[in-house]
Amino acid sequence: MPSRTGRKPIAILVATIACSTLALGLTGCAAEPEPGTVTVLNSATDTAEHSANQRFFDRCGTPLGLKVEQISVPADQVASKALRMASSHSLTDILELDGSELPQFAQTEGLRPLADAGVDTSGFSASATSLGSYQGTQYGIARSVNSLALIYNTKLLKQAGIEPPTTWDELRTAAKKLTAGDTYGMAFSASPNADGVYQFLPFFWSGGGDEARLDNGKGEAALQLWKDLVADGSSSKSVVNWNQQDVNDQFIAGRAAMMINGPWQVPVLSAQKNVDWAVASIPVPEAGKAAVPPIGGTVMAVPKNDDPAREKNAGKLLNCLNTEKNQLQWGESVNNVPTRADAAKAYATQNPKLAAFADLVTTARSRTAKVGTGWPVVGDALAGAFQSVLTGQTSPERALHRAQQQASAGK
């Protein structure tokens, strides 16, 4: 789930890693675990997720004669843990980190290109390949990914005689008609952090916005859309404070008829007895255009190791984890879309209620594809832009002009 905030410290930590590896020769220096053991650093601290991971690791490792050991820390501590392990010559054989952080690690030259580790990267969606790549080289592989979609209350839309909106005009009309009493027509996160930026990108990108040129004149329409939804009362003014979990809470409580959110909310939604919901594609500026949401998720990378055999073992494990069968079963267990094209197609067929997510992933984009390690600064600039517009401080045009100045100054 792409809800972590505070990207700036990651850049500082990775810069420190780079200094450490250059000064001490620690680039990916792994400890010496028992022969036949593959170690993995990840953020699977949840007991159920940790256990699910281990089942798949054992399923793949046992036939290969490999034992897999997980070291799991909270998601926002993966980078600092990697730094400490590198400093003590104990970096794991596999490093699983948020896809948006991969460029900052790859830049240190501490990761092995997957092809050199024997990992087969054919048959994956272009968006998933982009998520794991830096400057044209693939360093990370994702078993499954997530994105955003329009989730709506089927009962409320039916009562209002409304079909799920497909364009921005239809979205504004539907949201206004669905707004009544304590219920807003539309809910989204516009918090000044990763959650809000993640939710803004589908509108920004679908309208032609460019993260490398925030003031190219095409991103203003997305800001105006959000401003209009709040101004006419179809969305709460509190969106500037809501994270993605808050948005889901509003929807479940019946205070929002539609929302933008991701598949990580499915377990909570499915547990609701009084909420009938469905998933549709995110509305676009004009009919017939494809939505361009961000792609999110974690990628598994292979740190450089003085022992080539350990890298090869890591590669073998990654190949097994990413077969069509294993990707499909993993994706269903975590409500994410498999990254292999064949597995994603099977996922959509077997999970028709979530098929919209599978379709959206095919047109999704990596946040770092264009700006690489500059993404944290760009993300902060975008957050400042929509916050200033939604709170009435400035116009969309001025907000993005200022955002570009901020992004340029931060490079």
Side-chain angles (χ1 to χ4, degrees):
M1 169 180 171
S3 61
R4 286 179 11 219
T5 60
R7 302 288 186 188
K8 283 184 178 179
I10 301 299
I12 296 172
L13 287 166
V14 174
T16 307
I17 291 174
C19 294
S20 299
T21 57
L22 289 173
L24 305 175
L26 298 178
T27 307
C29 293
E32 295 295 333
E34 296 179 4
T37 296
V38 175
T39 54
V40 182
L41 175 62
N42 61 24
S43 59
T45 54
D46 177 79
T47 301
E49 182 184 359
H50 191 92
S51 297
N53 257 319
Q54 196 63 50
R55 285 195 297 273
F56 280 86
F57 289 155
D58 292 343
R59 174 191 296 181
C60 287
T62 300
L64 294 170
L66 300 173
K67 178 183 178 181
V68 184
E69 295 181 353
Q70 297 181 76
I71 300 173
S72 301
V73 299
D76 59 357
Q77 296 178 24
V78 170
S80 57
K81 180 68 173 180
L83 170 59
R84 292 194 298 272
M85 296 183 80
S87 298
S88 61
H89 297 244
S90 59
L91 197 57
T92 53
D93 300 303
I94 294 175
L95 173 62
E96 184 172 9
L97 65 159
D98 189 273
S100 66
E101 295 169 358
L102 180 84
Q104 295 166 339
F105 278 86
Q107 189 182 47
T108 70
E109 299 183 355
L111 301 179
R112 182 70 66 191
L114 290 183
D116 294 349
V119 179
D120 180 9
T121 57
S122 61
F124 289 77
S125 66
S127 56
T129 298
S130 175
L131 183 68
S133 298
Y134 174 68
Q135 294 186 344
T137 299
Q138 189 168 356
Y139 293 95
I141 190 168
R143 287 186 284 172
S144 65
V145 290
N146 58 60
S147 192
L148 294 167
L150 181 75
I151 301 176
Y152 61 96
N153 185 308
T154 56
K155 182 179 179 180
L156 292 180
L157 265 69
K158 184 177 181 180
Q159 289 176 344
I162 296 173
E163 293 293 324
T166 60
T167 66
W168 287 2
D169 285 342
E170 290 177 359
L171 175 62
R172 284 199 62 192
T173 300
K176 194 167 186 177
K177 189 172 183 179
L178 289 165
T179 299
D182 295 333
T183 301
Y184 289 96
M186 178 69 175
F188 55 89
S189 168
S191 57
N193 51 39
D195 273 21
V197 174
Y198 200 73
Q199 293 224 339
F200 180 60
L201 285 175
F203 300 96
F204 183 72
W205 280 341
S206 297
D210 185 347
E211 63 270 37
R213 282 190 57 206
L214 300 176
D215 57 352
N216 72 347
K218 297 182 180 179
E220 288 86 344
L223 283 175
Q224 189 64 50
L225 172 66
W226 271 21
K227 179 180 179 180
D228 291 342
L229 286 168
V230 172
D232 65 16
S234 299
S235 294
S236 171
K237 293 180 180 179
S238 296
V239 296
V240 295
N241 299 315
W242 289 346
N243 60 30
Q244 296 184 103
Q245 186 58 54
D246 295 329
V247 171
N248 195 54
D249 291 343
Q250 295 293 317
F251 182 81
I252 289 172
R255 291 192 289 269
M258 301 182 292
M259 69 170 175
I260 300 296
N261 230 314
W264 52 87
Q265 305 291 8
V266 169
V268 176
L269 290 170
S270 298
Q272 306 305 311
K273 296 181 179 180
N274 299 320
V275 181
D276 296 323
W277 58 276
V279 183
S281 186
I282 293 179
V284 292
E286 299 175 16
K289 285 191 173 184
V292 187
I295 190 170
T298 60
V299 295
M300 290 183 170
V302 180
K304 288 181 179 178
N305 194 302
D306 291 336
D307 183 355
R310 299 198 69 85
E311 292 184 5
K312 295 299 182 183
N313 284 340
K316 291 176 183 178
L317 185 68
L318 292 181
N319 281 332
C320 177
L321 291 171
N322 287 285
T323 62
E324 177 184 356
K325 177 182 177 181
N326 283 336
Q327 272 208 1
L328 178 59
Q329 292 184 3
W330 175 254
E332 290 179 331
S333 71
V334 295
N335 295 298
N336 274 1
V337 180
T339 54
R340 295 190 65 91
D342 47 9
K345 184 177 181 180
Y347 178 89
T349 300
Q350 296 180 25
N351 302 276
K353 193 167 186 176
L354 304 180
F357 284 115
D359 292 338
L360 284 162
V361 161
T362 64
T363 58
R365 281 177 47 192
S366 166
R367 288 160 283 178
T368 62
K370 281 192 174 185
V371 296
T373 56
W375 170 251
V377 175
V378 172
D380 286 346
L382 277 174
F386 59 68
Q387 279 268 310
S388 63
V389 169
L390 292 178
T391 55
Q393 298 177 43
T394 189
S395 67
E397 183 178 2
R398 290 180 179 177
L400 287 177
H401 179 71
R402 184 185 304 161
Q404 182 56 50
Q405 290 179 324
Q406 180 182 341
S408 297
K411 292 179 180 178

